[in-house]
Amino acid sequence: MIEFEALKPQNLKEALAVLKERGIDIKLLAGGTDLLVEINNNSDRLGNFKYLMDISSIKGLDEIENEKKHLIIGALCTHTQIIESKLIEGKFPILVRGAKTIGSTQIRNRGTIGGNINNGSPAADLITPLLALKSSVILKSKNKKRELPLQDFITGPYKTDRKEDEILTKIKIPKINSDYQSSFQKVKRRQAVAISRINLAVVTDIKEMRFNDIRIAFGSATPTAIRFLKMEKKLKQTQINELNFDSIIEQTGQEMVEIAGERWSTPYKKPVVGNLLIRALQEIIREVQ
Amino acid sequence: MQKVKVSLTVNRKKYNLEVDPDERLLDSLRDRLHLTGVKEGCSIGECGACTVIIDGKAVNSCMVYTFQIDGSHVLTVEGLEIDGRLDPLQLSFIEHQAVQCGFCTPGMLMSAKALLNKNPNPDKEAIKTAIEGNLCRCTGYQQIIEAIEAVVKKDGSE
Amino acid sequence: MEFNHVHKSKKRVDVYEKVTGRAKYGADMRFPDMLYAQTLYTKYPYAEIKNIDLDKAKKQTDVEAIITAEDVPNNKFGVIIENQQVLAEDKSLFIGDGIAVVAAKTAKAAARAIELIDVEYKELEGIYDPLKARKEGSQLIHEENESNQVIHHPLRKGNIKQGFLESDVIIKREYDTPFIEQSYIEPEAVVAVPYQENSTITVYGSIQNPFATQGAVASVLKEKLNKIRIVQNHMGGSFGGKDEVVSSMAARAAILALKTKKPVRLVNTRDQSIKESYKRHPYKMKYKIGATHDGQLKAMQIEAVADSGAYACQTPFVTWRSVVQATGPYEVANVKTDTYGFYTNNIYTGAMRGYGSPQVIFAQESLMDELAEELDMDPVELRLKNIYHNNSITASGQKLDSHQVSLEEVLTKAVEKSDFIEKYNRYKKEQTGDKKRGIGLSISFRGCSLGAEAIDAAGIILSLKKDGSVNLYSGLAENGQGLKTVYCQIAGEILGLDIDRINFMEVDTLISPDSGSTVASRATLIGGNAVKKAANNLKNRIKKFIAESYEQTEDDIVLKDGKIYGKKSIEIMSIAKMSSMAAMEGVCLTSYGWYVSPEISWDEEIGQGNPYFTYVYGCQVAEVEVDIKTGEINVLKMTAAHDVGRAINPANVKGQIYGGVMMGLGYGIMEELKTNQGYIQNTNFDEYLIPTVKDMPDIDPIIVENPDPDGPFGAKSIGEPTLELGAAAIANAVANAADKRIRSLPINLEQIIVGRKLSKGGGQK
């Protein structure tokens, strides 16, 4: 049984001040859809904490801002907010597609984008799109603010670079021009409320029938969600009509094994990651043609 | 553990509670307010039996600590009936034999209620999305979908 | 035949309470001074318990009592073989065995105390494979036995050798199925109240079979049956699952209640429920079948091995149903079947909807398609050549002559409605794209009721009140399936009363007649007949009273619409008025109906006889889409044709079909309780997946009605037949779609892509 005291700061300033003082003993609570499960399960992942700080009702962290070069999503935006945001749907539909596949309506009504990132699950359905969108995260502490690429923030399975006095406040997504196409793929064991067996986000712009800037992020295939840089390199500048499916499938699987090593699920995932990539590319190509 | 003071409006009635930090909304509703229509099926947000509506949104009450939602409005299955009049959804569940063991029914009703409050004219896919987080082991969901659809159609014709 | 109350989709009599949240389930019960109990489970599946130190736990504030096996008057119980431990005594035999139970003033205090109990174990090497347990000289799970075999049911018919000699084509295949969790949405819950009125213990709760639980608690407490009272609350689903596990919990709570002299509530979390409650048996099956070139079945040889887990529980009966159904509904002259159950240190296995049939139907209906393929015949044609008709002889030598054998009818109706033949041939051809469609079917015959497991009888008490309302006391219990409504309809039909005038009383062992367990899809058939008898007894008394008082002949008297009519259909008076008058005249208005099923027989040595007095027939067709690049399967449509004899409540019958199809679908493509060395890897609904609304296909239910001479108004069974066919139909559809024959359930992502299941190991939860 896990026992703790509750902290409920009224605003960000107060939260950061308390974190500065005793952050080491504090667990942050937002939507709770992962944390309450772990507390219920007495999960080893929780580590030790004395206080649970509820930041779910802190004002100002649940806004979506349309800046000139970036779209900024407040860390406390729920998945439902993301799905219903016309702004996000217009700019980054892939994020909406990812959000729609998370949990159930009830979970999406509570769970937040910041929580999805901070939980650091390799299967998180927002992390892969965000990686493919080259997002960065903004963290605040009492006296500091820092920004770092999402990829660097996630340091391992269920591990992040968040310092104990910090709060992840915003997610910053660089805007891309309207030539960009995207595809989100998810393999699951059932049709709803399903954790990704594999998920994939592909973002690319096609210029003169070639993949120009192409970003490929896989989730649940490797210990943390990650971009497959080798495959990106291979596909960059490739003619979209001259794709060698067999070699893409082969090499995607290989890249996965290089990153993750051989695991119990490798015989399944090795061919399927490539199959999914082909499917995503075909979907994008169909869209362009 | 230090108690936390919380004020809640539940089924249109105001309550001032002192709760433990680890007291889930589910516990407060069932154990303090005796609203046992709210059911516990899995404790991890997978089955939806504990679904209630908080400030207009369907939420698993096992996934929320009561101290988090100070000042909120909560609606449970017990609050659907007003002055002895059943909600159209309740009547439709009766009419369409959408209930077997009945354990998922309260959560199912609340998910459907939240949907219809937000979108009075949902299509079948939207209905399914609204209740995808409510597991039912008896009905195969068929008559539940029919019951919700019937309320939608009735509303549309009025 | 014209009916007024049966054969109609009447609204459920228990639905108002259920849609308003007023229905009280086990965990909703509150009593003054009630204590909260928690069970400590063993840390290892198989271990010697060297020492249990309760000192620290006892000192915990608010803890009122702790019990271990030492406090249990009679620690072993069981309906068939008494070897299930209430609490582990010398050894834990599986991962869900309880070690101690704490009762405290708050749930939190009980949970804290559990963590303070120190148990010293000596971990032992267990047996987790029934085929290993079977080997001669294996270590014994139950030392008092000579081997790990729980049961062996042989069936011998004709000359198996000769049968294969006469066959042109012989194929041999192996199939297997996993542990399955019943997955009722309400976890188990009981409250034991000491010394209420004249009972030593009264147990309220989510109890599928109040009389079985009464027996278990009495035996554990060494108390007389008439001192143990069991009251059933609303049940949040059971599907066979709330029997022995709930009995064990009831016994634990009862001991604590007697020790503390306070009500004790014991409610499982989902994790505890999945860890300690029994599962559907995994089977390993070997089939050998022989046929002529033109598709005549000549011989079938079957060996099925069931994993019984740590206890016998229902294994002897579950495997017995398998032996009857193993060959499927086909006429085969030469049959040799052997079904076995073996103890292991896995979670124990017992009743779950289907009860030994889903496993063998998956195997045998897959096999029929494989044989059809081999014979280059379509699956419908092969089946039509061999299925049972009126007067067919079954594998156990029974002549089917008491009822309409409607296999051809259900098969034809489902095949036509689903456009099976056209689609089967179309999908068989090369399909473009990643997503391949397929269609498959399966058929079954199913013995109604208990059969030769036990005497099959049930009772009903009807009490007509002075205002013309009726109390109905039943020994069979509502599990959510709609039994209350069906019984009220049957009573209403005979007494000429609307069902809102009839009040079905919760099953209470104090009053309800012991009618055995609500299992085996027997409630409508057996209990329904008892309702009919009780109502007819009452009606005859009313007729006699009216005939004597109003110069009428009994034959002219009709009860209808709440009124009594006499000669020339002239209204005499209302039933309400008559009730009050009859009561004043001293007429007995309480009636009893006791129904005993027609005779059956079974020779256990050779597996021959008439195991059931009647059967139901069903056919399900599945249409699927298989993504051959990811292994995902989407079931698009299911067509389900079931002969129910007569649908007392067609809307309820449809509800049973939809729900059964869903469970069959789960069995087919997603459900699997994963174990590793006795540890359970998926103990909640995040990892043990059951179908959501989005997994459900369009379902086309076809209700076929051939009234059975032995059924109440011709009604038979529907609960279990609906679930036993789905997985096999889906497996056949997958083979049709993707040319992949999967012989192991569930047909998951890995099986489609890699051709086998993958396991991550670990799982010490």
Side-chain angles (χ1 to χ4, degrees), chain C residues 163-183:
Chain C
F164 284 117
L165 281 175
E166 289 167 13
S167 305
D168 302 316
V169 175
I170 295 171
I171 61 172
K172 282 159 83 171
R173 296 287 185 269
E174 294 186 17
Y175 304 89
D176 67 80
T177 64
F179 286 102
I180 295 291
E181 160 64 33
Q182 292 86 355
S183 305

Side-chain angles (χ1 to χ4, degrees), chain A residues 204-220:
Chain A
T204 181
D205 64 336
I206 293 172
K207 287 204 171 125
E208 288 156 11
M209 304 294 277
R210 288 169 197 276
F211 293 115
N212 181 35
D213 176 15
I214 179 161
R215 311 144 186 191
I216 300 165
F218 274 104
S220 229

Side-chain angles (χ1 to χ4, degrees), chain A residues 231-287:
Chain A
M231 187 46 63
E232 289 181 2
K233 205 170 158 193
K234 175 185 161 87
L235 288 175
K236 200 174 160 79
Q237 299 311 329
T238 308
Q239 270 277 352
I240 60 171
N241 293 330
E242 289 170 13
L243 296 176
N244 181 338
F245 290 169
D246 290 343
S247 94
I248 291 173
I249 292 169
E250 176 66 28
Q251 287 179 31
T252 309
Q254 259 171 22
E255 190 166 357
M256 180 194 83
V257 176
E258 279 165 25
I259 300 167
E262 289 279 345
R263 304 178 337 154
W264 68 274
S265 57
T266 305
Y268 170 75
K269 287 185 177 173
K270 200 176 167 191
V272 175
V273 282
N275 291 344
L276 270 193
L277 180 56
I278 296 289
R279 182 167 292 173
L281 296 176
Q282 284 176 326
E283 201 178 287
I284 288 170
I285 292 166
R286 259 202 309 279
E287 199 64 36

Side-chain angles (χ1 to χ4, degrees), chain A:
Chain A
M1 246 178 88
I2 296 163
E3 306 202 20
F4 51 83
E5 302 297 337
L7 298 173
K8 202 166 170 17
Q10 294 306 303
N11 52 48
L12 184 62
K13 198 177 161 200
E14 190 189 327
L16 293 175
V18 179
L19 279 173
K20 185 84 201 165
E21 224 169 86
R22 42 188 166 169
I24 192 160
D25 292 326
I26 293 176
K27 198 99 201 163
L28 292 180
L29 169 64
T33 53
D34 287 315
L35 191 57
L36 266 74
V37 175
E38 288 178 15
I39 291 174
N40 179 74
N41 292 352
N42 243 324
S43 164
D44 296 337
R45 265 183 233 144
L46 286 167
N48 291 320
F49 66 97
K50 286 185 197 155
Y51 305 95
L52 198 62
M53 182 190 274
D54 174 38
I55 56 169
S56 63
S57 38
I58 286 184
K59 297 271 180 316
L61 293 187
D62 62 347
E63 282 157 16
I64 299 164
E65 299 161 67
N66 192 9
E67 291 189 348
K68 200 167 171 208
K69 288 190 167 168
H70 296 93
L71 191 79
I72 310 281
I73 303 179
L76 290 179
C77 279
T78 63
H79 306 311
T80 299
Q81 265 178 285
I82 290 170
I83 291 166
E84 290 174 355
S85 159
K86 292 273 177 312
L87 199 54
I88 298 179
E89 174 69 51
K91 303 260 182 264
F92 307 114
I94 191 174
L95 208 50
V96 173
R97 260 172 273 154
K100 278 185 172 171
T101 71
I102 295 174
S104 58
T105 298
Q106 292 95 314
I107 298 289
R108 292 189 293 272
N109 282 341
R110 284 297 292 177
T112 65
I113 184 170
N116 199 251
I117 293 171
N118 268 304
N119 186 48
S121 160
D125 290 313
L126 286 182
I127 292 181
T128 30
L130 288 171
L131 285 176
L133 291 169
K134 295 188 174 169
S135 312
S136 52
V137 292
I138 295 170
L139 296 128
K140 271 190 180 167
S141 59
K142 192 177 172 198
N143 305 316
K144 243 174 75 182
K145 176 179 162 183
R146 64 178 176 128
E147 180 182 331
L148 75 163
L150 175 60
Q151 187 78 77
D152 298 344
F153 180 66
I154 294 166
T155 53
Y158 304 98
K159 286 199 180 83
T160 69
D161 186 47
R162 189 182 74 83
K163 306 289 183 287
E164 62 216 25
D165 63 346
E166 287 179 323
I167 289 180
L168 192 165
T169 54
K170 286 170 181 179
I171 293 91
K172 193 169 158 188
I173 312 175
K175 286 190 181 165
I176 42 183
N177 67 41
S178 56
D179 297 349
Y180 274 83
Q181 300 290 330
S182 63
S183 172
F184 180 77
Q185 304 288 331
K186 172 166 172 169
V187 181
K188 47 203 191 296
R189 290 199 187 274
R190 70 177 173 193
Q191 306 288 329
V193 205
I195 294 167
S196 287
R197 280 304 283 148
I198 304 174
N199 62 29
L200 163 66
V202 177
V203 174
T204 181
D205 64 336
I206 293 172
K207 287 204 171 125
E208 288 156 11
M209 304 294 277
R210 288 169 197 276
F211 293 115
N212 181 35
D213 176 15
I214 179 161
R215 311 144 186 191
I216 300 165
F218 274 104
S220 229
T222 49
T224 62
I226 199 166
R227 279 172 59 189
F228 277 32
L229 299 174
K230 276 192 181 171
M231 187 46 63
E232 289 181 2
K233 205 170 158 193
K234 175 185 161 87
L235 288 175
K236 200 174 160 79
Q237 299 311 329
T238 308
Q239 270 277 352
I240 60 171
N241 293 330
E242 289 170 13
L243 296 176
N244 181 338
F245 290 169
D246 290 343
S247 94
I248 291 173
I249 292 169
E250 176 66 28
Q251 287 179 31
T252 309
Q254 259 171 22
E255 190 166 357
M256 180 194 83
V257 176
E258 279 165 25
I259 300 167
E262 289 279 345
R263 304 178 337 154
W264 68 274
S265 57
T266 305
Y268 170 75
K269 287 185 177 173
K270 200 176 167 191
V272 175
V273 282
N275 291 344
L276 270 193
L277 180 56
I278 296 289
R279 182 167 292 173
L281 296 176
Q282 284 176 326
E283 201 178 287
I284 288 170
I285 292 166
R286 259 202 309 279
E287 199 64 36
V288 174
Q289 283 169 344

Side-chain angles (χ1 to χ4, degrees), chain C residues 348-623:
Chain C
Y348 72 120
T349 43
M352 180 179 171
R353 194 178 190 178
Y355 205 79
S357 74
Q359 299 94 330
V360 293
I361 290 174
F362 165 64
Q364 137 246 312
E365 285 302 274
S366 297
L367 181 75
M368 284 303 279
D369 266 37
E370 294 201 60
L371 179 65
E373 185 83 40
E374 199 74 27
L375 293 167
D376 201 18
M377 202 175 266
D378 87 59
V380 177
E381 190 189 348
L382 177 65
R383 284 177 175 82
L384 282 172
K385 278 195 171 169
N386 295 285
I387 52 171
Y388 294 153
H389 296 278
N390 284 341
N391 299 314
S392 283
I393 309 287
T394 68
S396 71
Q398 181 173 14
K399 190 173 180 190
L400 300 174
D401 57 3
S402 73
H403 61 279
Q404 179 65 25
V405 178
S406 56
L407 258 176
E408 188 171 339
E409 186 182 353
V410 293
L411 177 61
T412 311
K413 281 187 168 154
V415 161
E416 280 171 8
K417 196 83 192 285
S418 62
D419 209 359
F420 182 89
I421 305 281
E422 191 275 321
K423 284 182 172 167
Y424 179 82
N425 291 320
R426 177 149 52 91
Y427 295 151
K428 227 172 145 71
K429 291 181 197 139
E430 192 70 27
Q431 300 179 48
T432 54
D434 294 348
K435 294 180 180 176
K436 316 285 188 198
R437 289 202 172 187
I439 194 164
L441 64 79
S442 65
I443 58 174
S444 75
F445 81 127
R446 182 182 182 88
C448 298
S449 188
L450 296 175
E453 285 168 26
I455 285 292
D456 206 334
I460 292 286
I461 300 168
L462 288 174
S463 171
L464 180 63
K465 303 295 165 189
K466 279 184 272 191
D467 62 354
S469 65
V470 175
N471 280 346
L472 189 158
Y473 302 88
S474 165
L476 296 175
E478 175 71 52
N479 285 190
Q481 78 282 46
L483 172 150
K484 287 181 181 177
T485 311
V486 161
Y487 284 12
C488 290
Q489 284 180 267
I490 294 174
E493 184 68 40
I494 291 169
L495 296 173
L497 288 173
D498 268 347
I499 62 170
D500 60 9
R501 301 278 289 276
I502 302 166
N503 192 10
F504 185 111
M505 309 312 287
E506 298 304 331
V507 175
D508 181 337
T509 57
L510 207 59
I511 305 159
S512 309
D514 184 347
S515 305
S517 293
T518 309
V519 296
S521 305
R522 68 188 279 262
T524 300
L525 177 57
I526 306 296
N529 270 320
V531 178
K532 219 177 140 190
K533 273 194 149 179
N536 274 322
N537 287 344
L538 186 58
K539 185 163 92 174
N540 291 340
R541 260 184 244 145
I542 295 169
K543 280 185 175 180
K544 190 166 174 244
F545 170 66
I546 294 289
E548 283 168 5
S549 315
Y550 293 88
E551 293 179 11
Q552 295 271 350
T553 43
E554 286 183 34
D555 288 350
D556 290 334
I557 297 170
V558 172
L559 279 65
K560 205 183 157 188
D561 304 331
K563 298 189 179 99
I564 300 171
Y565 299 89
K567 221 177 301 175
K568 294 181 186 162
S569 301
I570 292 167
E571 183 182 328
I572 301 173
M573 67 175 78
S574 68
I575 292 178
K577 193 172 171 203
M578 179 282 302
S579 307
S580 131
M581 288 172 56
M584 268 193 290
E585 294 292 324
V587 177
C588 172
L589 294 179
T590 295
S591 77
Y592 202 88
W594 185 254
Y595 176 77
V596 184
S597 68
E599 210 170 310
I600 45 178
S601 62
W602 189 252
D603 182 339
E604 181 63 37
E605 299 289 309
I606 50 167
Q608 293 293 295
N610 298 342
Y612 300 96
F613 66 89
T614 190
Y615 292 83
V616 287
Y617 305 90
C619 174
Q620 289 186 0
V621 178
E623 199 174 340

Side-chain angles (χ1 to χ4, degrees), chain A residues 1 3 40-42 186-193 197 264-265 267-268 271-272 275-276 279, chain C residues 108 111-112 115 434 627 629-630 632-634 670 689-690 692 694-695 749-750 753-754 758-760:
Chain A
M1 246 178 88
E3 306 202 20
N40 179 74
N41 292 352
N42 243 324
K186 172 166 172 169
V187 181
K188 47 203 191 296
R189 290 199 187 274
R190 70 177 173 193
Q191 306 288 329
V193 205
R197 280 304 283 148
W264 68 274
S265 57
Y268 170 75
V272 175
N275 291 344
L276 270 193
R279 182 167 292 173
Chain C
K108 233 181 225 177
R112 273 193 209 111
E115 290 179 359
D434 294 348
D627 185 333
K629 293 292 164 71
T630 63
E632 290 168 298
I633 296 175
N634 195 0
M670 66 179 82
L689 300 183
I690 63 174
T692 69
K694 291 244 170 113
D695 296 286
L749 305 171
E750 291 82 2
I753 298 295
V754 192
L758 301 175
S759 163
K760 69 175 161 192

